[in-house]
Amino acid sequence: MGRAVLFKGAYATLDYFTDDIAKELEERGFEVYLFDVADYGKALPGFVAFIQKPVDFALSYNNLGFNMELTPGENIWDCKYIPFVNILMDHPFHYKNALEQAPADTILLCCDRNHVEYVHRFYPHIRHVYFMAHGVVPVALGKEWHERSIDVLYAGGLSVDLTNAISPCKEKYPEIDGDELISYAVKRLVDDHRLLTEHVIEKYLIEKQIAYTDDELSELITDFRLIDSVAASHFREKTIETLVENGIRVAVYGRGWESRNCFHNSNFVYGGLVAPSKVLELMQDAKIVLSTMTWFKAGSHDRVFNGMLAGAVSVTDDSEYIREVIHPGENGFIFQLDNMSEMLRIVTDVLEEHVDIEKIVKNARKEAFENHLLSCRVDEILGRVEELG
């Protein structure tokens, strides 16, 4: 029987995933200590007692517990020789400090293949870095498709609050014009949605003939990571705006929409910010689950797989990995961010049933159940831990 420590308590969505992984591990015979950081004082004594015996691995999403110290200056995972499985749900450039201090036996799992390459370049001390797509929790099928009350569901916020919170200190880089860099990079990404934020920032430096080491470049990319969010939000807003202005009702959930023009369109049905479990319920009553990913060009998003499980038709923007999973007209649809007319046509065709709804829903649910549940990802996780050996 194996033993594992899992961390939760910071984000409701990630807790939802963590709880499911803990349940799956226990069903496989693992003894699991679930460390709830929201009640740190209560959780700590049980944790200290738990690690007195050998532990196969620790696991968390987005670095929770990753740099933990019980003795100042000593990472507990290094002291106890416990591998740490760190599942990143976002681009690594959001987590520079945590990754720089990664435990020696880190297994870093990224939700985009480009993120793996990024870590290889800028954090070469992390030797075990792999791609692992999002996994999802099983959900019931929901209503029959024709009985569903939501035409299009979009669960995703705009990054207005985030970009304000992570705006760079431009004075830190006197050799560059920070505003010019932001303007340049956002324009490049909007003009060509296939480009990567880190590549565009580096291209700017090359054009300006400014030489940076990889360490300096990594810091610059992290400090100017709002560029990524601005570009993603641009296309999120454009996608919803295209639909509502063409008479299609869209139920939207998430932060940041109140200040946008489309918010006042009668076809824009705003539900605010809701719990992850509520989003899954809404998907069970949606005909289409629409997704635009967070600038993941070779990765995934759980919205896509959750929609497939819930019996909706998933319509998502493109990525290298998504093309391996979604077969248009067979189990969902893919659109290009620079072709909103294509996206509008797909949504219209689905709602007007110009496609075989029954076949798509059946195939999509089968694909999600067989390949994208968190139980499938646990297989991958345990395999990586075994490889580390």
Side-chain angles (χ1 to χ4, degrees):
M1 182 176 71
R3 304 179 79 244
V5 176
L6 274 64
F7 286 85
K8 62 176 289 186
Y11 303 100
T13 302
L14 302 185
D15 288 353
Y16 199 71
F17 297 147
T18 302
D19 288 340
D20 194 69
I21 291 177
K23 179 182 175 183
E24 177 68 23
L25 288 172
E26 288 172 344
E27 288 176 355
R28 298 185 186 208
F30 273 77
E31 183 183 359
V32 175
Y33 188 83
L34 198 54
F35 194 124
D36 189 345
V37 300
D39 197 352
Y40 193 92
K42 181 179 179 180
L44 185 61
F47 166 74
V48 172
F50 189 83
I51 62 174
Q52 298 313 306
K53 296 180 181 179
V55 175
D56 293 273
F57 64 93
L59 178 147
S60 80
Y61 283 91
N62 287 358
N63 315 294
L64 197 60
F66 188 50
N67 306 120
M68 188 175 182
E69 297 179 353
L70 297 185
T71 301
E74 297 182 5
N75 190 306
I76 186 63
W77 314 115
D78 287 336
C79 293
K80 288 289 186 176
Y81 303 101
I82 298 172
F84 198 106
V85 179
N86 189 6
I87 305 172
L88 295 188
M89 298 289 277
D90 307 299
H91 196 295
F93 58 44
H94 290 288
Y95 305 117
K96 179 177 174 60
N97 290 338
L99 296 179
E100 285 181 338
Q101 303 172 58
D105 286 336
T106 292
I107 298 172
L108 193 67
L109 301 176
C110 301
C111 62
D112 188 297
R113 289 166 180 151
N114 292 321
H115 299 174
V116 175
E117 296 307 312
Y118 187 91
V119 173
H120 282 322
R121 177 178 179 184
F122 293 113
Y123 305 98
H125 61 286
I126 303 178
R127 296 168 296 146
H128 306 285
V129 189
Y130 309 98
F131 167 69
M132 187 180 80
H134 288 78
V136 293
V137 177
V139 295
L141 183 59
K143 295 180 182 179
E144 290 294 325
W145 195 86
H146 294 93
E147 297 174 355
R148 297 180 176 219
S149 65
I150 300 172
D151 286 340
V152 180
L153 174 67
Y154 186 84
L158 298 179
S159 301
V160 176
D161 294 339
L162 174 63
T163 52
N164 289 336
I166 63 174
S167 292
C169 175
K170 304 182 184 84
E171 293 76 16
K172 182 178 175 181
Y173 301 95
E175 69 277 10
I176 66 172
D177 182 330
D179 291 327
E180 182 184 70
L181 168 57
I182 293 170
S183 177
Y184 168 94
V186 170
K187 184 178 187 307
R188 289 293 304 275
L189 295 176
V190 168
D191 288 346
D192 187 350
H193 65 91
R194 297 166 185 82
L195 298 176
L196 301 180
T197 301
E198 55 266 32
H199 293 171
V200 169
I201 291 175
E202 187 169 19
K203 178 69 172 175
Y204 173 85
L205 296 178
I206 292 170
E207 290 183 6
K208 294 293 182 179
Q209 298 183 323
I210 300 173
Y212 270 28
T213 66
D214 273 3
D215 285 344
E216 291 169 335
L217 178 58
S218 172
E219 187 165 357
L220 178 72
I221 292 169
T222 292
D223 286 344
F224 281 80
R225 65 193 185 277
L226 86 162
I227 291 165
D228 195 85
S229 299
V230 171
S233 287
H234 167 84
F235 284 109
R236 286 186 173 190
E237 182 179 358
K238 191 174 181 181
T239 301
I240 301 306
E241 186 177 77
T242 298
L243 293 175
V244 299
E245 288 184 353
N246 283 277
I248 293 175
R249 288 175 64 80
V250 184
V252 178
Y253 293 83
R255 289 191 178 97
W257 290 97
E258 296 88 341
S259 62
R260 317 322 294 170
N261 290 333
C262 59
F263 185 82
H264 303 287
N265 190 296
S266 60
N267 292 311
F268 186 98
V269 183
Y270 187 53
L273 187 66
V274 297
S277 56
K278 179 61 177 179
V279 173
L280 295 179
E281 289 178 22
L282 292 164
M283 288 182 176
Q284 293 170 316
D285 191 28
K287 292 182 176 180
I288 293 174
V289 169
L290 179 66
S291 176
T292 56
M293 291 176 285
T294 315
W295 219 256
F296 298 159
K297 302 307 173 182
S300 64
H301 200 288
D302 53 280
R303 274 192 297 267
V304 178
F305 305 137
N306 278 325
M308 295 165 75
L309 275 179
V313 175
S314 277
V315 178
T316 178
D317 65 322
D318 191 19
S319 88
E320 174 189 297
Y321 176 73
I322 285 296
R323 288 196 297 274
E324 298 170 12
V325 174
I326 297 288
H327 308 292
E330 295 294 323
N331 62 355
F333 292 93
I334 299 171
F335 67 93
Q336 304 299 321
L337 290 174
D338 60 357
N339 193 344
M340 288 293 133
S341 60
E342 174 196 34
M343 183 275 301
L344 177 61
R345 177 190 58 78
I346 289 170
V347 169
T348 302
D349 282 351
V350 173
L351 293 178
E352 294 181 356
E353 300 184 52
H354 295 158
V355 298
D356 190 337
I357 299 294
E358 184 177 351
K359 179 185 74 173
I360 292 169
V361 168
K362 180 181 178 181
N363 289 346
R365 188 165 167 82
K366 182 175 185 290
E367 166 70 24
F369 256 110
E370 291 182 354
N371 298 309
H372 304 292
L373 294 183
L374 276 169
S375 57
C376 303
R377 305 301 181 242
V378 168
D379 289 337
E380 296 183 49
I381 291 165
L382 294 180
R384 297 303 183 188
V385 172
E386 186 176 349
E387 287 174 11
L388 188 63

